[in-house]
Amino acid sequence: MELSGAEIVVQYLRDEGVEYVFGYPGGAVLHIYDALFNQDDVKHILVRHEQAAAHAADGYARATGRPGVALVTSGPGATNAVTGIATAYMDSIPLVVLTGQVASPFIGSDAFQEVDTVGITRPCVKHNFLIKRREDIAETFKKAFYIATSGRPGPVVVDIPKDITDPNVRIPYAYPSKIKMRSYNPVAKGHLGQIKKAVEMMLSAKRPVVYTGGGVIIGDAADELTRLIHATGFPITSTLMGLGGFPASDRQFLGMLGMHGTYEANMAMHDTDVLVAIGARFDDRVTGHVAHFCPNAKIIHVDIDPSSISKNVKVHVPIVGPVQKVLKDMVKVVKETRQQPEEGALKAWWEQIEQWRAMDCLRYDRQSSKIKPQFAVETLYKVTGGDAYVCSDVGQHQMFAAQFYGFDKPRRWINSGGLGTMGFGLPSAMGVKMAFPEQEVALVTGEASIQMCIQELATCKQHDLPIKIILLNNGYMGMVRQWQEFFYDRRYSNSYVDALPDFVKLSESFGHVGMRVERPEDLEGAMREAFAIKDRLVFLDVIVDPEENVYPMIEAGKGHHEMYLSPASELV
Amino acid sequence: MRHIISILIENEAGALSRVAGLFSARGYNIESLTVAPTEDVSLSRMTLVTSGSEQIVEQITKQLNKLIDVIKLLDITEGAHIEREMMLIKVKADRGHRDEVSRLVDIFRGRIIDVTDVSFIVEMTGSPSKLDAFINAVHEDLVVEVVRTGPCGIARGSKGLTL
Ligand SMILES: Cc1cc2nc3c(=O)[nH]c(=O)nc-3n(C[C@H](O)[C@H](O)[C@H](O)COP(=O)(O)OP(=O)(O)OC[C@H]3O[C@@H](n4cnc5c(N)ncnc54)[C@H](O)[C@@H]3O)c2cc1C
Ligand SMILES: Cc1ncc(C[n+]2csc(CCOP(=O)(O)OP(=O)(O)O)c2C)c(N)n1
Ligand SMILES: [Mg+2]
């Protein structure tokens, strides 16, 4: 088959089985856009800002486990995409981002819309390429998809100079069925000796805790994890990124840990003697001050990336390998060994944990005449039967969604944890809805965050994406205000979101349905009405208590046992 | 502690900046970095000298290994090894100082490779500390210019760092 460079780009994507490309055209990619025009296999979703192209591809990837693909032009197209690329990088999400570049002879001459895309993105990609010859397109793409999706996944940028996609020069093309890279060989399994050592340590624990993270979701290991937890009877807590890796409705689940984690999860972390970390990276939002982190514990850590191990906290039994395979092996060893768990100690440990749990740390004022954001998320759970894909932006609403929407399945909770990118929510929800048009996709957002990518309401209209937007409108950058309340003596410097648009009219002007709720008693009815509208995007502006705070909270730099608790909880 | 890390890396445009960028982005310290293609032109060999606590050096080697272009690396300071650096040094050598300088060069087993009425260029290889010692031995006022390559190193014994 003889194809032009642009045709090779598109044909490769077809051969790779790519369903959707999220993108925005411009000079340097026009040849590729022309090649896209002539086929229907790869569907192009026209966003309204390149940041959204990357986030939408990212949302698609998080929900499906398949790589998300974005296509943007050179210069400003590429720089606009950088926030989205960095967001995916921090959360280890597989993306392939195709960026146009000025024609090869112009590179380095400050040509029109030239930026050093490879240089700018280098610190926030797993790898990047600048294609030099059209003969290299197919092989480079193969490498890009392979690198993005294997090992610890991440975004890969492929920068393509315009001359290489010239429609007038044709060369033979074949889909490269195999790829070999001598410099890149992700591990396939964990060391069995280490796994046995870990199991031995686990079964002799008196106060064990399993702490799981995004690696369980990324590595598709929810079933294996659930088996291990049930086989051992251990308590389990999860990071923000690991929610849904183990069913939240299961008694063994202690809720999220860390800065806004539950009392029982954080207290258990503080008192544990054997910590089993699985696909989690000891982030500072989770550990607090490392000197106070799990002061009495021996630590086992399963991670595919050796550089995650002993990075922030020294680990005693490292296991490098893919979490699915390692957990399979662990379950096997647990079942085969003659060693029994410390039943008596475990029972006492659970009694202690139940005492902590009885404090009901997530309690909030249910009698309030204002809509509490927690109540709004609980209502969302009720209305969607706990089975929606829930996307979120960044702020208090994100924490409320994480705490109050009990995720029972993996890949249902889509949020930016590592970079904490406001503006992620709406475009990521578009990616999820493209992937699962028959499923309910809800976006829980804030009035500040939603305005960062609000233009995507047009994309939702054009591509018929009936997302349900639940805006927890507190009129503040609530998360910022909360810190100012606690740590800056209530000096609310620039955290008030003044001059808000009328979100109902705004969404109507984009051709969507807008609704507003102001009283708790109207909320459930409004949500049911919103979700009953199957074929249209509904934007539900929920006016919530402007000064509600997220509890519990561990101040940055403090230990797990030093939590601020809600004035509504039993403890104060 | 000072560590010398030998790296085999794909000889591709940008490979060097990935390594250098890693060090600046993560705030690691680079004392020196030398690069050249190997007998296999598709491969470059780097020798990187860095220092830090054991934990930092462990992260450095893990992060380097994580770079897609890096094929293999070895912290040669973990075992017996040899390191050598080359220096070209231009020194003032007018009539009053010629003998003194050339005696020093002999003692340090250097070579004078360029001569004018008033100066020498001296070529010298050795361990970095030997080169330091030579510079210290020459009177400060006589040193015109110093160029050092930074060390390259190799592990002792029959085993090689190869593919
Ligand atoms: C406003 C705000 C508040 C936050 N508060 C909290 C909080 O209270 N609690 C909290 O937990 N987080 C919180 N976060 C999120 C936090 O910033 C981090 O993003 C999060 O804690 C990291 O989660 P993780 O450790 O699961 O790592 P991830 O970023 O999910 O990393 C996954 C780990 O798994 C490994 N991995 C990937 N694939 C595999 C595989 N196949 N096999 C084995 N290992 C694999 C990776 O190498 C990596 O080490 C907050 C974020 C924001 C924006
Ligand atoms: C792009 C970006 N800029 C700034 C921040 C810092 N920040 C974190 S939360 C937040 C406020 C979010 O307000 P809103 O969306 O209304 O959510 P709320 O906290 O009120 O629920 C800000 C400004 C960020 N995370 N991302
Ligand atoms: Mg707000």
Side-chain angles (χ1 to χ4, degrees), chain A residues 6 9-10 21-39 44-47 53 70-73 98 165:
Chain A
V9 168
V10 173
V21 172
F22 301 88
Y24 205 88
V29 286
L30 281 181
H31 297 327
I32 300 175
Y33 270 83
D34 198 47
L36 277 171
F37 193 73
N38 294 322
Q39 53 82 52
H44 181 269
I45 309 301
L46 178 65
V47 294
L71 169 61
V72 301
T73 192
L98 311 177
T165 56

Side-chain angles (χ1 to χ4, degrees), chain A residues 388-419:
Chain A
Y389 285 85
V390 178
C391 302
S392 116
D393 268 297
V394 172
Q396 290 184 322
H397 61 272
Q398 176 188 22
M399 293 300 109
F400 290 131
Q403 292 175 331
F404 288 87
Y405 199 100
F407 293 93
D408 280 344
K409 294 181 192 160
R411 300 196 179 280
R412 293 292 165 121
W413 167 234
I414 312 286
N415 83 135
S416 161
L419 201 64

Side-chain angles (χ1 to χ4, degrees), chain A residues 152 213-214 239-240 257 259-260 279 281 286 303-304 308 323 417-418:
Chain A
R152 177 179 183 169
T239 68
L240 181 71
L257 81 166
M259 181 173 274
H260 293 298
R281 59 183 172 83
V286 166
D303 204 292
I304 200 160
S308 279
V323 61

